[in-house]
Amino acid sequence: MNNTIEMSLMDAEERRMVEYIWNLIPQEDREGMSPDDVLLVLDLVDDYLEEKGLLVYNGDEAEYLDGEIDETDQLNYINKAVQKSGRRLTGVQIQLILDGELQYGIQEGYYEEED
């Protein structure tokens, strides 16, 4: 599916999340990127979690389960999938998206800050 079409199909919360993350990325790191790339990385995070058994679907509802995530393994998974997709995101850009997703999750109460 074309990601631009996918962006238009997002619900309001997903759109807010993508916009929030996009606005956290410094202008100089956005070169060659678009909000579609943020959406791609977020989709890949879900793919990774699903593969690890930490995301299950009950019909249309997604349920995120508690568990440990190997951040290096997750980053490697996402890097490989991005390369396979033909996108040209750098490791820094991917990490900025992941950092933004974490910050959004903390702000929305999905995650707790670690001390």
Side-chain angles (χ1 to χ4, degrees):
M1 175 181 270
N2 180 316
N3 269 351
T4 302
I5 293 170
E6 201 171 314
M7 289 283 290
S8 69
L9 297 175
M10 289 189 305
D11 66 31
E13 182 179 348
E14 290 170 316
R15 206 174 352 274
R16 231 180 3 263
M17 182 179 195
V18 168
E19 288 172 9
Y20 178 90
I21 295 168
W22 178 251
N23 289 326
L24 286 179
I25 300 171
Q27 188 64 42
E28 62 271 12
D29 292 311
R30 290 185 187 175
E31 188 171 323
M33 288 181 71
S34 75
D36 289 338
D37 295 313
V38 173
L39 180 60
L40 171 67
V41 171
L42 294 176
D43 286 345
L44 291 171
V45 167
D46 281 353
D47 291 348
Y48 175 82
L49 293 174
E50 188 174 9
E51 186 177 289
K52 298 299 181 184
L54 297 174
L55 171 60
V56 293
Y57 291 96
N58 302 311
D60 288 342
E61 292 293 315
E63 181 181 356
Y64 294 89
L65 306 175
D66 289 335
E68 293 296 316
I69 297 172
D70 181 331
E71 292 177 7
T72 302
D73 185 53
Q74 181 185 39
L75 185 58
N76 289 336
Y77 176 94
I78 293 169
N79 273 321
K80 287 177 186 173
V82 165
Q83 288 175 357
K84 195 174 190 178
S85 77
R87 298 284 177 90
R88 298 193 183 277
L89 295 176
T90 67
V92 169
Q93 290 169 324
I94 292 169
Q95 189 61 58
L96 287 168
I97 294 168
L98 293 174
D99 291 347
E101 188 272 339
L102 177 62
Q103 189 169 334
Y104 181 85
I106 290 170
Q107 174 185 294
E108 294 298 311
Y110 302 139
Y111 306 130
E112 294 179 15
E113 280 189 87
E114 292 182 11
D115 295 324

